[in-house]
Amino acid sequence: MADEAKAKGNAAFSSGDFNTAVKHFTDAINISPTNHVLYSNRSAAYASLHKYDAALSDAKKTVDLKPDWSKGYSRLGAAHLGLHQYQEAVSAYKKGLEIDPNNEALKSGLADAQSAATASASRARSAQPPNLFGDAFQGPEMWAKLTADPTTRAFLQQPDFVKAMQEIQRNPSKLNEHLKDQRVMQALGVLLNVKFAHGGGDDMEVPEAETSSPPPPSHPVKEVKKPEPVPEPEPMEITGEDKEKKEKKEKALKEKETGNAAYKKKDFETAIQHYTKAMEIDDEDISYITNRAAVYLEMGKYEDCIKDCDKAVERGRELRADYKMIAKALTRKGTALAKMAKCSKDYEPAIETFQKALTEHRNPDTLKKLNDAEKAKKELEQQEYFDPKMADEEREKGNECFKQQKYPEAVKHYTESLRRNPKDPKAYSNRAACYTKLGALPEGLKDAEKCIELDPTFSKGYTRKGAVQFFMKEYDKALETYQEGLKHNPNNQELLDGVRRCVEQINKANRGDLSPEELKERQAKAMQDPEIQNILSDPVMRQVLVDFQENPKAAQEHTKNPMVMNKIQKLISAGIVQMR
């Protein structure tokens, strides 16, 4: 769009990036070749680059396209002035004043042109040499030379020096006001490639440039003449079209603010009216659409909310709007979709929309809404899949496979049974038995513990857990599990048998009947147990163990302490301590 390229050019011009400004104005002209304002603005950018031939060409095009526009003649006069065509500049400014007699820029330009013309004519009559000093300050080369010299490079860090040089560059006649500043004189020497001698006192004389054969003493000193004025580019033109856009935007913002106030008061219908009005006035701000979508969401009109959010995203893409605004629209749409969800599948588009919003902008609120939607979907899936009757059928199929020693197939059926009814302790118990047969002891232990959690009075849970711990050679833990089960069912034979087996293994270790390999394996396993590690790292228990070896009287006292003896028993069961 030409307006967009023009806006970029204006911004670049304002920041002093004249080359970029020329590029953007050229892009705009290619799109809208009959827009006189674009040629006018590019002419000003060329003039700022001291490319006065190009500036003159654009100024002439401006006048051709819009002969009754005074600004065109201002550009034309500035270009002629830059090319030292003073009479043509005077003529251009006068034509502009015929159209707009009160234009201050044209009056100022005419005065500069007439002054330059008078000075030029005076120089021609007195055959004055060209203005060497004035030319030294022209163009961007001045700053390059000052930066390259180590002395003046340091001056560029001083704001008052930079300000003085900018003032001289804009109007070289200001040089006389800064001749007492030695930094300025040093800079002048660098620009003219000469060295200045410093006399006594504050004043400095400017010698002539040194040559291979010095001039005779009687050679007159060249007079420093008043330089010609250099035109400054005028500010960018604000057209009637721009003013109209600005007024529309202000009017739309007022409608939005009124809508916001109504929304806070829960007056949703009034809020919708004002947001809609704002949308009609200014279609280049999607916040009006997203705000109306928020009202629809609050009212429970989810379909309307979704339509507005889609519209905001589409329009936002066209305008290259802020990605945060796009994310906000998508989040609002996802919220509406989640509100409408009645089954697990209905959450899928909501989840997808939240994920898209997060790719635009990772917002904590959107992330929370995504997590909530995924959790709700999972819960609904479980509810939809819940079928106790089918769960029982799958468990029975698993039992048949278990009897036939088809343990992997049995695990599949038990797993399906748990999907159909995740609260069935029997299915967990049976799958734990399968895992034990398959040697998947950690999985079996996990299922047995879940079984006990669901039904603490179910004996099978304790026998499954005790069996897994026994196979893991954690006899003391297995003994505790069996004993816990007996509290609920004292006459259960499986639990009683488990206790007996564990006691046999523990007594075997206490008697020292274990082979060196078995003892070493048992001790290594015990040392990985955090409880055993805590006992051995306890200073009190370490002293107790020393007393048992060296102080029988103290050891006798320790045996009267139930907590100490319980810990000693754990160390004995683990094979760490042996009683003789």
Side-chain angles (χ1 to χ4, degrees):
M1 296 172 64
D3 288 342
E4 184 179 350
K6 175 189 170 188
K8 290 180 179 179
N10 289 346
F13 187 94
S14 298
S15 65
D17 189 356
F18 304 121
N19 284 310
T20 301
V22 167
K23 177 182 178 299
H24 288 304
F25 289 138
T26 302
D27 292 341
I29 288 170
N30 291 336
I31 298 169
S32 180
T34 59
N35 189 328
H36 62 284
V37 175
L38 300 177
Y39 288 100
S40 171
N41 288 2
R42 191 171 69 174
S43 176
Y46 276 134
S48 299
L49 293 168
H50 304 288
K51 296 181 179 180
Y52 296 110
D53 286 325
L56 179 62
S57 176
D58 274 356
K60 288 180 178 179
K61 184 67 175 179
T62 303
V63 172
D64 289 343
L65 290 171
K66 191 74 171 174
D68 59 346
W69 191 47
S70 62
K71 181 60 69 79
Y73 296 98
S74 179
R75 301 294 187 216
L76 189 62
H80 279 307
L81 196 57
L83 292 169
H84 308 297
Q85 299 169 353
Y86 306 120
Q87 293 303 326
E88 290 85 345
V90 169
S91 177
Y93 286 124
K94 285 183 177 179
K95 286 182 181 178
L97 286 169
E98 290 175 6
I99 299 170
D100 186 2
N102 298 319
N103 190 299
E104 292 299 326
L106 288 168
K107 289 179 181 179
S108 176
L110 177 61
D112 288 342
Q114 288 174 335
S115 175
T118 302
S120 177
S122 176
R123 285 198 303 273
R125 285 193 299 272
S126 58
Q128 289 280 354
N131 182 5
L132 179 62
F133 287 177
D135 292 342
F137 296 100
Q138 299 302 309
E141 295 83 3
M142 180 190 84
W143 299 107
K145 288 181 180 179
L146 295 179
T147 303
D149 186 271
T151 304
T152 53
R153 186 188 308 134
F155 296 160
L156 294 177
Q157 304 299 319
Q158 303 170 15
D160 59 330
F161 172 76
V162 173
K163 184 177 179 181
M165 295 305 295
Q166 289 174 337
E167 188 176 332
I168 295 170
Q169 188 179 40
R170 286 194 298 268
N171 187 358
S173 63
K174 295 283 186 179
L175 175 63
N176 294 330
E177 298 177 12
H178 298 282
L179 288 178
K180 291 185 178 182
D181 189 333
Q182 294 188 8
R183 297 172 301 173
V184 174
M185 295 308 297
Q186 183 71 27
L188 183 61
V190 169
L191 296 174
L192 296 176
N193 198 25
V194 299
K195 293 182 180 179
F196 292 132
H198 297 267
D202 295 330
D203 295 333
M204 295 188 296
E205 294 182 355
V206 182
E208 294 179 17
E210 296 178 5
T211 60
S212 56
S213 99
S218 59
H219 189 279
V221 177
K222 292 183 179 179
E223 180 185 348
V224 179
K225 63 175 179 147
K226 184 179 179 180
E228 301 163 2
V230 178
E232 291 186 32
E234 299 176 26
M236 292 294 98
E237 174 72 13
I238 300 177
T239 65
E241 182 182 354
D242 291 335
K243 289 180 181 177
E244 184 180 353
K245 282 186 178 180
K246 185 178 179 182
E247 290 172 359
K248 281 185 175 182
K249 187 168 286 294
E250 290 175 353
K251 189 175 180 182
L253 286 172
K254 287 182 180 178
E255 292 290 342
K256 177 185 176 183
E257 290 170 1
T258 308
N260 291 346
Y263 178 81
K264 291 177 182 177
K265 295 177 182 177
K266 304 291 184 180
D267 187 358
F268 298 135
E269 293 296 342
T270 302
I272 287 174
Q273 290 175 9
H274 287 291
Y275 290 140
T276 303
K277 190 73 177 294
M279 291 164 57
E280 293 170 355
I281 296 171
D282 181 11
D283 67 344
E284 295 187 355
D285 188 339
I286 65 171
S287 69
Y288 312 138
I289 312 175
T290 57
N291 281 17
R292 191 173 73 173
V295 180
Y296 284 135
L297 182 64
E298 194 74 20
M299 296 174 71
K301 296 183 177 181
Y302 303 127
E303 294 287 354
D304 291 332
C305 173
I306 291 169
K307 287 179 183 177
D308 268 4
C309 290
D310 286 338
K311 182 178 180 181
V313 172
E314 181 181 359
R315 185 61 178 148
R317 303 278 190 216
E318 293 173 359
L319 297 171
R320 297 180 181 176
D322 186 351
Y323 57 86
K324 292 181 181 178
M325 292 298 296
I326 302 292
K328 181 182 287 188
L330 289 169
T331 299
R332 209 151 273 171
K333 177 183 177 181
T335 304
L337 288 169
K339 294 277 189 184
M340 295 171 65
K342 294 179 180 178
C343 64
S344 59
K345 281 192 173 295
D346 290 344
Y347 275 99
E348 291 177 1
I351 290 170
E352 183 182 356
T353 304
F354 286 135
Q355 289 170 339
K356 287 181 180 178
L358 288 170
T359 61
E360 296 289 338
H361 175 57
R362 195 161 185 83
N363 180 281
D365 180 57
T366 305
L367 185 60
K368 183 180 182 302
K369 289 178 182 291
L370 172 62
N371 292 335
D372 290 345
E374 290 176 335
K375 182 180 178 181
K377 179 177 182 288
K378 186 176 181 180
E379 289 175 354
L380 275 178
E381 283 176 341
Q382 291 177 348
Q383 293 174 16
E384 291 163 359
Y385 208 71
F386 182 77
D387 190 335
K389 185 178 179 180
M390 290 190 69
D392 291 342
E393 291 175 1
E394 288 294 330
R395 191 179 71 246
E396 288 302 321
K397 290 178 182 178
N399 292 344
E400 289 298 322
C401 291
F402 187 87
K403 291 176 184 177
Q404 298 172 23
Q405 299 183 1
K406 297 178 180 178
Y407 303 122
E409 289 83 350
V411 168
K412 289 181 182 178
H413 288 296
Y414 291 138
T415 301
E416 179 62 22
S417 175
L418 287 169
R419 288 186 64 201
R420 292 291 182 179
N421 184 8
K423 302 294 184 181
D424 182 9
K426 294 179 182 178
Y428 279 110
S429 170
N430 292 2
R431 193 170 67 173
C434 279
Y435 281 138
T436 304
K437 292 289 186 181
L438 291 169
L441 300 182
E443 290 82 358
L445 181 61
K446 185 178 179 182
D447 271 3
E449 289 175 340
K450 184 67 177 178
C451 173
I452 294 171
E453 177 189 331
L454 291 171
D455 186 359
T457 64
F458 187 46
S459 301
K460 280 288 184 183
Y462 296 100
T463 59
R464 302 300 188 205
K465 182 178 178 181
V468 172
Q469 291 170 326
F470 188 89
F471 283 121
M472 296 172 75
K473 298 184 180 181
E474 296 176 349
Y475 303 121
D476 53 334
K477 292 185 178 181
L479 179 60
E480 290 177 4
T481 300
Y482 287 130
Q483 290 172 339
E484 185 67 26
L486 286 169
K487 291 178 183 179
H488 302 286
N489 190 352
N491 299 318
N492 185 285
Q493 193 59 46
E494 284 187 85
L495 292 173
L496 291 170
D497 290 342
V499 169
R500 179 180 52 77
R501 290 194 303 271
C502 290
V503 170
E504 287 176 356
Q505 290 297 322
I506 292 171
N507 289 338
K508 184 180 178 181
N510 293 344
R511 293 192 302 267
D513 293 343
L514 297 176
S515 67
E517 291 76 13
E518 289 177 327
L519 181 60
K520 187 176 180 181
E521 180 185 357
R522 190 168 184 180
Q523 289 175 339
K525 192 173 187 65
M527 290 304 294
Q528 296 175 4
D529 188 335
E531 187 177 8
I532 299 296
Q533 293 174 4
N534 288 334
I535 293 173
L536 293 175
S537 62
D538 184 352
V540 175
M541 285 305 301
R542 289 212 300 259
Q543 183 60 47
V544 169
L545 294 175
V546 171
D547 289 343
F548 267 96
Q549 288 181 320
E550 302 176 357
N551 191 343
K553 186 176 180 179
Q556 189 67 27
E557 290 296 321
H558 291 316
T559 58
K560 297 177 183 180
N561 187 330
M563 291 182 63
V564 170
M565 290 310 297
N566 184 44
K567 293 181 179 179
I568 291 291
Q569 185 59 49
K570 288 184 182 295
L571 294 177
I572 293 171
S573 300
I576 303 297
V577 172
Q578 292 183 340
M579 303 297 290
R580 299 183 185 279

